[in-house]
Amino acid sequence: QVQLVESGGGLVQAGGSLRLSCAASVNIFAVNAMGWYRQAPGEQREWVAVITSGERTNYANSVKGRFTISRDTAKNTVYLQIDSLKPEDTGVYYCYADIGRLHWGQGTQVTVSS
């Protein structure tokens, strides 16, 4: 069974930075893609970023230039560096892995104060 464990969330002021981590229980080298969604209170889950097995990355327009996704295959971990945080970035951030179907982590809370 695939397990994904997120960490790194917290309470930060606007303009600050966070680095989220997603540790996988499988070898991510061969995983089709891994990425992040987020869900703000009362909103639907929103796709944020993805990194493919070929290390291609893509981002939602709302986070381009501020978010950076990367991976460390030796640690089976994907990261999401979030800079210039805004209050609208507040939400639960979920890691996912595309291994035939999507597998999800439990989420990590990011709260940005103005």
Side-chain angles (χ1 to χ4, degrees):
Q1 179 154 351
V2 178
Q3 291 189 324
L4 302 172
V5 179
E6 300 100 329
S7 61
L11 171 63
V12 294
Q13 288 190 329
S17 297
L18 282 174
R19 189 176 80 155
L20 308 184
S21 299
C22 172
S25 63
V26 297
N27 186 338
I28 69 170
F29 183 80
V31 171
N32 295 331
M34 293 186 68
W36 296 86
Y37 274 73
R38 67 183 179 186
Q39 188 166 21
E43 302 288 332
Q44 290 190 331
R45 199 172 287 194
E46 171 193 26
W47 172 79
V48 172
V50 66
I51 185 165
T52 70
S53 58
E55 307 242 349
R56 283 195 215 173
T57 60
N58 199 11
Y59 301 90
N61 287 334
S62 57
V63 307
K64 275 182 184 174
R66 299 188 299 118
F67 288 25
T68 304
I69 189 169
S70 62
R71 68 178 192 170
D72 184 336
T73 54
K75 296 182 178 179
N76 291 321
T77 299
V78 170
Y79 303 99
L80 187 68
Q81 177 70 36
I82 309 175
D83 297 319
S84 303
L85 276 157
K86 304 176 181 180
E88 52 263 42
D89 294 321
T90 293
V92 179
Y93 283 68
Y94 297 92
C95 173
Y96 71 91
D98 180 358
I99 312 175
R101 66 171 182 88
L102 293 187
H103 299 263
W104 297 93
Q106 82 289 350
T108 185
Q109 176 71 46
V110 171
T111 303
V112 184
S113 63
S114 55

